[in-house]
Amino acid sequence: MAQKPTLPKGTRDFGPKQMLRRNYILDTIKSVFKKYGFMPIETPAMENLSTLTGKYGDEGDQLLFRILNSGDFLSKASEEDLQSGSAILRSKISEKGLKYDLTVPFARYVVANQHEVTFPFKRYQIQPVWRADRPQKGRYREFYQCDADVIGTNSLICEAELMVMVHEIFGALKFSEYKIALSSRKILEGIAEIMNATPQFAQLVVILDKLDKIGEEKVLEELEKIGLNSNALSTLKSLLHFQGDNDSKLAQLKSAFVSSQIGLEGIKDIEEVLDHADSLGLVDHNLEFDLTLARGLSYYTGVIYEVKPTSISMGTIAAGGRYDNLTEVFGLSGVSGVGISFGIDRIYDTLNELDLFATDQLETTQVLLTNFDDDAQKHALNILFKLRANDISSEIYPDHSKLKKQLNYADKKQIPYVVLIGSQEIEAGRYTLKNMEKGSQQELSVDELINFLKDKA
Amino acid sequence: MAQKPTLPKGTRDFGPKQMLRRNYILDTIKSVFKKYGFMPIETPAMENLSTLTGKYGDEGDQLLFRILNSGDFLSKASEEDLQSGSAILRSKISEKGLKYDLTVPFARYVVANQHEVTFPFKRYQIQPVWRADRPQKGRYREFYQCDADVIGTNSLICEAELMVMVHEIFGALKFSEYKIALSSRKILEGIAEIMNATPQFAQLVVILDKLDKIGEEKVLEELEKIGLNSNALSTLKSLLHFQGDNDSKLAQLKSAFVSSQIGLEGIKDIEEVLDHADSLGLVDHNLEFDLTLARGLSYYTGVIYEVKPTSISMGTIAAGGRYDNLTEVFGLSGVSGVGISFGIDRIYDTLNELDLFATDQLETTQVLLTNFDDDAQKHALNILFKLRANDISSEIYPDHSKLKKQLNYADKKQIPYVVLIGSQEIEAGRYTLKNMEKGSQQELSVDELINFLKDKA
């Protein structure tokens, strides 16, 4: 009985067409990263669990894929461990896990290589990560992250450059219908301060984060439930109703923040980022100051941002922020960093939905040589050699098959030209070149063939 | 107490310099694969264990990394399972594993996508695989494989093309000191037949495989131990002493194989591959017929080959062969395939040892703009914008630091030029461009700067 060729749920194969489109996105992003001075690194799929656990909250710990120790994995587990349930036994029989994001392994890398790395260190990293999440549309258990970070400087130029990079990357992908929401953790802290809600800061962030989904009214209700009084709520309400452009909103918030040192710092940071972005030519910029922006992950300490398509409902396609203490847990403190992560799957879906993949021309050969019998085959191999020596990507149909089958192969593989090689052609030394799209044919010598195909390459 | 930033044993980080060198190798291989009509696919890191187990022998099964089921993994294990030891319990608490090679997932992919795939299907795949092997020099638990396979044809043109690809790839890497050992499983079967050792075929293959390491005498001793008589041994001995070039060795073997149908088929296959390779221009080819070539893996059924450096001791850097029944286990029979796998780590070590990495110029920016104070910074950001608008990869030092520190940054990051921007330069509208290698300086306007750097790009 044959085994079913199934995949674990939440994982995917990428065939040639998907690879082409993914590489188009990844190559575009990579070339911009390089242009801005980011250098590539890669870290292993597996990390020690001590590196991973405790970094993503309890929920994150639950979503780690753990690797069973090799060999007699029970040798380190006592009879008591065996009876103590999954949570305890787990720690006795697995020491490694699959990486959950690229940021924590990057922090580990920086600390491990702190004497070789040149700070400020600008690195990019494009690799899969794994999360034991419930799979659903657009959410996978194995997916690529594509991150750029600068570590070892407090300069807000970095934030501005990341915004400019977003602009350049999406510009190169011919995608313009997005906005970048921008704020700072410090502004959230300021809001909590002027609401007298500093003790409830964590809850406040979680509830504000839902504003888009549940609306203002429900947010205010939930905040009331966690004990905020009507003064606090009306303060927040007035902030939420700020109108106008970025400058105007920032000016209004500045007045509201007269008594909040941290809030004013947050505003100054945003103003500086906008100013730098302006110097860097980001005029028509899609940058919107959004004081309700929260970003879930707890390690952010400064400026935060989130990129979403505006014309379709897709969720966040890129996001990031500044973190101050990421390497501290590995023994290197006082190092500030800032980064951005591009969501490749959602960018793929966005371009697809907006029909922005310029072409689906597979990366295939330019020409197929037919193969009808041993004689013609030997002749074709010789022509193939000459084509390849001229750097023309080319292939021969490997079997003696009917013409229809060979043309069908070229058609499905999107090979634009087919050279027909039969006994007449061999005798005449002139071969029939068939244009697969137009159906037109012409007779060419080998040299003419080479020149023709070189021109088309 | 800080956590140690350590990695699981047998795994590695790749920093910018290693990435550069690895990408040089991988990009070279990829471009040749494409030129010959191979298309990329990717499969997930995780596969169901049912896909992986039983494909690599008992030893392979032991080396699979297994992933602990998520959540309450013990819920599927009975009290009896808990007491039955690692081997039994393992199957109750893990359903997925990390892929062990690219070939089995490829077979699974082909069967799952058999109605969309165009046969003959030429695919390449470059991804990490994982083996719980004992780590040692040159052997890792996570390493990249780089495979090209053609599936769905018996044509020996494919074998010849793979040999030509090896030649073109290593040629592009400026590496010529290697040889390709070539034989066929059918020839081994023929040898077993004329030795009257067909029942001992599996053992014979294992012992012959050690010829390089232990020498002829010990091989004959071991064969005697498994019950082969002196007639058999003297038959083998005469084969091992064949002298001359490929044609001469093949002719001698043909006489020895008069009574072995399968052996003669093997010879015919080799002759045909050599003939096709010749038609494809592989003249100075490093191809050596080696009748003792065995290749461990059991799924090979036809032509087999192995590439080794000749001037250094490095082991196999690429290898492969034809397999007839790989997709059968997943329910698709009658499909023959042939492939080659390049060992990226050993190719890396080989190029390194032979000093064949052309340059260690990091993929970095072309120019660094200095940053001394707020005024100069604003000015620099503006110049940076203009440089980037002209597609010149460039960056600004993000902090107001001393010149020495900024030059040191450029030096370590191998940035070839630094533009010094101080108050005098700003006033004059002419900036000092420093050539970091030569130490020379010149004064240029922004336009001149752009033209100069564009010319150098």
Side-chain angles (χ1 to χ4, degrees):
Chain A
M1 175 65 192
Q3 290 166 19
K4 284 196 182 145
T6 53
L7 275 175
K9 62 178 176 179
T11 69
R12 296 162 291 170
D13 289 321
F14 298 119
K17 184 173 165 183
Q18 289 140 311
M19 287 295 292
L20 174 84
R21 292 172 155 205
R22 291 174 68 84
N23 285 338
Y24 164 66
I25 296 171
L26 293 176
D27 290 346
T28 302
I29 295 179
K30 259 187 246 176
S31 72
V32 176
F33 284 171
K34 282 183 200 168
K35 182 172 169 182
Y36 283 70
F38 291 82
M39 297 196 291
I41 72 161
E42 281 186 13
T43 64
M46 296 191 282
E47 293 276 355
N48 291 319
L49 281 170
S50 59
T51 298
L52 299 175
T53 51
K55 309 299 188 301
Y56 309 106
D58 286 347
E59 202 204 347
D61 283 355
Q62 294 301 320
L63 299 183
L64 291 173
F65 279 111
R66 289 154 197 267
I67 292 163
L68 198 57
N69 292 343
S70 309
D72 184 12
F73 62 89
L74 285 176
S75 61
K76 282 188 187 166
S78 67
E79 185 58 30
E80 203 186 330
D81 294 332
L82 268 180
Q83 298 303 330
S84 56
S86 292
I88 302 278
L89 184 59
R90 201 163 66 180
S91 65
K92 306 289 178 178
I93 62 176
S94 69
E95 282 160 10
K96 295 180 288 288
L98 296 179
K99 66 181 174 227
Y100 181 88
D101 72 0
L102 302 178
T103 310
V104 168
F106 172 53
R108 196 244 334 119
Y109 174 92
V110 167
V111 178
N113 297 281
Q114 58 186 291
H115 302 299
E116 291 86 52
V117 159
T118 312
F119 291 101
F121 183 41
K122 299 170 94 168
R123 88 85 172 77
Y124 75 85
Q125 190 169 354
I126 302 176
Q127 291 191 277
V129 300
W130 294 266
R131 296 182 186 179
D133 242 322
R134 190 182 302 273
Q136 57 185 58
K137 185 178 176 292
R139 193 200 281 161
Y140 303 97
R141 291 184 145 194
E142 169 172 329
F143 58 98
Y144 269 74
Q145 286 196 335
C146 175
D147 285 18
D149 289 79
V150 191
I151 196 161
T153 170
N154 296 303
S155 169
L156 292 160
I157 291 177
C158 304
E159 276 87 337
E161 290 209 282
L162 295 177
M163 302 301 98
V164 178
M165 278 194 347
V166 168
H167 187 75
E168 184 152 346
I169 286 168
F170 288 137
L173 294 172
K174 312 270 189 294
F175 168 58
S176 58
E177 294 161 351
Y178 66 91
K179 69 166 192 182
I180 308 176
L182 182 73
S183 188
S184 168
R185 272 294 168 111
K186 295 177 188 169
I187 284 175
L188 283 175
E189 287 181 50
I191 292 173
E193 214 167 86
I194 63 170
M195 288 171 73
N196 287 313
T198 302
Q200 294 97 334
F201 180 66
Q203 290 162 290
L204 177 66
V205 167
V206 170
I207 295 170
L208 266 183
D209 211 15
K210 297 193 272 187
L211 187 64
D212 266 2
K213 277 182 207 143
I214 63 174
E216 182 181 321
E217 203 169 323
K218 291 248 189 257
V219 161
L220 293 173
E221 267 173 37
E222 289 203 16
L223 290 173
E224 202 175 348
K225 276 185 203 150
I226 64 163
L228 299 192
N229 62 26
S230 60
N231 267 351
L233 297 186
S234 75
T235 301
L236 179 64
K237 215 169 159 178
S238 71
L239 303 184
L240 295 181
H241 288 217
F242 284 168
Q243 298 293 327
D245 62 8
N246 292 339
D247 288 348
S248 146
K249 279 185 192 159
L250 286 164
Q252 293 170 72
L253 191 60
K254 208 180 280 184
S255 319
F257 275 169
V258 276
S259 65
S260 171
Q261 184 59 34
I262 187 88
L264 290 174
E265 263 180 48
I267 291 181
K268 194 160 160 283
D269 285 356
I270 299 296
E271 287 174 337
E272 193 174 329
V273 170
L274 291 172
D275 190 42
H276 290 326
D278 190 54
S279 299
L280 284 166
L282 194 62
V283 184
D284 182 18
H285 53 38
N286 313 357
L287 265 175
E288 280 182 27
F289 169 60
D290 177 355
L291 60 86
T292 66
L293 183 66
R295 296 297 306 144
L297 268 175
S298 56
Y299 53 65
Y300 293 125
T301 52
V303 175
I304 48 179
Y305 30 82
E306 198 169 88
V307 188
K308 285 181 180 168
T310 48
S311 56
I312 53 171
S313 167
M314 183 58 70
T316 304
I317 54 175
R322 180 169 289 276
Y323 43 83
D324 276 338
N325 305 307
L326 206 60
T327 56
E328 200 166 23
V329 64
F330 300 115
L332 182 66
S333 53
V335 178
S336 182
V338 59
I340 190 160
S341 186
F342 289 85
I344 299 308
D345 292 304
R346 285 192 178 165
I347 293 173
Y348 184 103
D349 290 345
T350 300
L351 298 188
N352 200 21
E353 211 166 313
L354 296 174
D355 205 14
L356 290 173
F357 284 112
T359 165
D360 275 332
Q361 176 58 54
L362 293 172
E363 276 181 332
T364 182
T365 48
Q366 233 194 317
V367 60
L368 174 75
L369 309 192
T370 59
N371 185 349
F372 298 121
D373 54 43
D374 280 343
D375 270 357
Q377 171 180 290
K378 196 173 179 72
H379 206 82
L381 287 172
N382 239 291
I383 297 177
L384 190 57
F385 162 56
K386 287 174 188 159
L387 293 176
R388 287 178 178 159
N390 282 282
D391 251 335
I392 294 160
S393 69
S394 42
E395 59 189 299
I396 183 172
Y397 194 84
D399 298 300
H400 306 336
S401 298
K402 288 192 174 151
L403 177 60
K404 196 177 162 192
K405 195 170 179 188
Q406 301 191 37
L407 290 179
N408 187 43
Y409 174 85
D411 188 49
K412 283 213 177 147
K413 217 174 156 179
Q414 299 183 16
I415 300 173
Y417 296 99
V418 173
V419 178
L420 305 173
I421 302 170
S423 53
Q424 284 186 326
E425 281 88 354
I426 294 172
E427 203 171 318
R430 296 184 71 79
Y431 308 89
T432 307
L433 179 74
K434 188 180 173 70
N435 180 320
M436 289 297 288
E437 201 194 337
K438 298 183 187 160
S440 59
Q441 299 193 167
Q442 56 183 313
E443 312 276 302
L444 297 172
S445 71
V446 172
D447 285 344
E448 287 165 350
L449 204 55
I450 290 169
N451 287 330
F452 178 87
L453 292 168
K454 270 182 121 170
D455 280 351
K456 298 280 171 184
Chain B
M1 178 60 192
Q3 290 164 15
K4 283 196 184 146
T6 52
L7 275 175
K9 63 179 175 177
T11 70
R12 298 162 289 170
D13 290 321
F14 298 119
K17 184 172 165 183
Q18 289 141 310
M19 287 295 290
L20 174 84
R21 293 173 155 204
R22 291 174 67 82
N23 285 338
Y24 164 66
I25 295 171
L26 293 177
D27 291 345
T28 303
I29 295 179
K30 259 186 247 179
S31 71
V32 176
F33 284 171
K34 282 183 199 167
K35 181 172 170 184
Y36 283 69
F38 291 83
M39 298 198 291
I41 72 161
E42 280 185 14
T43 63
M46 296 191 282
E47 293 277 355
N48 290 320
L49 281 171
S50 59
T51 299
L52 300 174
T53 50
K55 311 296 188 300
Y56 309 106
D58 287 346
E59 202 204 350
D61 283 354
Q62 294 301 320
L63 299 182
L64 291 173
F65 278 111
R66 289 154 197 266
I67 293 163
L68 198 56
N69 292 343
S70 310
D72 184 11
F73 62 87
L74 284 178
S75 61
K76 283 189 188 165
S78 66
E79 184 58 29
E80 203 187 328
D81 294 332
L82 270 180
Q83 298 304 330
S84 56
S86 293
I88 302 279
L89 184 59
R90 203 162 64 178
S91 65
K92 307 288 178 178
I93 63 177
S94 69
E95 283 160 8
K96 295 181 287 291
L98 295 179
K99 66 180 175 230
Y100 180 89
D101 72 0
L102 302 178
T103 310
V104 168
F106 172 54
R108 197 245 333 118
Y109 174 93
V110 167
V111 178
N113 297 281
Q114 56 186 292
H115 302 299
E116 291 84 53
V117 159
T118 312
F119 292 102
F121 184 41
K122 299 171 95 168
R123 87 85 172 78
Y124 74 86
Q125 190 169 353
I126 302 176
Q127 292 193 278
V129 299
W130 294 267
R131 296 182 185 179
D133 242 323
R134 189 181 302 274
Q136 57 185 58
K137 185 174 177 297
R139 191 201 284 162
Y140 303 97
R141 294 185 143 193
E142 168 173 329
F143 59 98
Y144 270 73
Q145 284 195 337
C146 176
D147 285 18
D149 289 79
V150 190
I151 197 162
T153 169
N154 296 302
S155 169
L156 292 161
I157 290 178
C158 305
E159 275 87 337
E161 288 209 282
L162 294 176
M163 302 301 98
V164 178
M165 280 196 345
V166 167
H167 187 76
E168 184 153 348
I169 286 167
F170 288 137
L173 294 172
K174 313 269 190 297
F175 168 58
S176 58
E177 293 160 352
Y178 66 90
K179 70 164 190 185
I180 307 176
L182 182 73
S183 188
S184 167
R185 273 292 168 114
K186 295 177 188 169
I187 285 174
L188 284 176
E189 287 179 51
I191 292 174
E193 216 167 86
I194 62 170
M195 287 171 74
N196 286 314
T198 302
Q200 293 98 333
F201 181 65
Q203 289 162 291
L204 175 66
V205 167
V206 170
I207 294 170
L208 265 183
D209 210 15
K210 295 193 273 187
L211 186 65
D212 266 2
K213 279 183 206 140
I214 63 173
E216 182 182 321
E217 204 168 324
K218 291 245 187 258
V219 162
L220 294 174
E221 268 173 36
E222 291 202 16
L223 290 174
E224 202 175 348
K225 276 186 204 151
I226 64 164
L228 299 192
N229 62 27
S230 59
N231 268 350
L233 297 185
S234 77
T235 300
L236 179 65
K237 214 169 157 177
S238 72
L239 304 184
L240 295 180
H241 287 222
F242 283 167
Q243 299 292 326
D245 62 10
N246 292 339
D247 287 347
S248 145
K249 279 185 191 161
L250 286 165
Q252 293 170 73
L253 192 58
K254 208 180 281 183
S255 318
F257 274 169
V258 276
S259 64
S260 171
Q261 183 60 32
I262 187 88
L264 289 174
E265 264 181 46
I267 290 182
K268 194 160 160 281
D269 286 355
I270 298 296
E271 286 175 337
E272 192 175 329
V273 170
L274 290 172
D275 189 41
H276 290 327
D278 190 55
S279 299
L280 283 165
L282 194 63
V283 184
D284 183 17
H285 54 41
N286 313 356
L287 267 174
E288 282 183 25
F289 170 59
D290 177 355
L291 62 89
T292 67
L293 184 65
R295 296 297 305 144
L297 269 175
S298 55
Y299 54 65
Y300 293 125
T301 51
V303 174
I304 48 178
Y305 30 81
E306 197 170 87
V307 188
K308 286 183 179 167
T310 47
S311 56
I312 54 172
S313 167
M314 182 59 70
T316 305
I317 54 175
R322 178 169 290 275
Y323 42 83
D324 276 336
N325 305 307
L326 206 59
T327 55
E328 200 166 23
V329 65
F330 300 114
L332 182 67
S333 53
V335 179
S336 181
V338 58
I340 189 160
S341 185
F342 288 85
I344 300 306
D345 292 304
R346 284 193 180 165
I347 293 173
Y348 184 103
D349 290 345
T350 299
L351 297 189
N352 201 21
E353 211 167 312
L354 295 175
D355 205 14
L356 290 174
F357 284 112
T359 165
D360 274 331
Q361 177 59 52
L362 294 172
E363 275 181 331
T364 182
T365 48
Q366 232 195 319
V367 59
L368 174 75
L369 308 190
T370 59
N371 184 350
F372 297 122
D373 54 44
D374 280 343
D375 272 357
Q377 172 180 290
K378 196 173 181 68
H379 205 84
L381 287 174
N382 240 291
I383 297 176
L384 190 56
F385 163 54
K386 288 173 187 160
L387 293 176
R388 287 178 179 160
N390 282 281
D391 252 335
I392 293 160
S393 68
S394 42
E395 61 189 300
I396 182 171
Y397 195 83
D399 298 299
H400 306 336
S401 297
K402 288 193 174 152
L403 177 61
K404 195 178 163 191
K405 196 171 178 185
Q406 301 190 38
L407 291 179
N408 187 44
Y409 173 86
D411 188 48
K412 281 212 178 148
K413 216 173 156 179
Q414 300 182 16
I415 299 173
Y417 296 98
V418 173
V419 178
L420 305 173
I421 302 170
S423 52
Q424 285 187 327
E425 281 88 355
I426 293 172
E427 204 170 318
R430 296 185 71 78
Y431 309 88
T432 307
L433 179 74
K434 188 178 171 74
N435 179 320
M436 290 296 288
E437 200 194 337
K438 297 184 187 158
S440 59
Q441 301 193 165
Q442 56 184 316
E443 311 276 302
L444 298 172
S445 70
V446 173
D447 285 345
E448 288 166 349
L449 204 53
I450 290 170
N451 287 331
F452 179 87
L453 292 168
K454 271 182 121 171
D455 280 350
K456 298 279 173 186

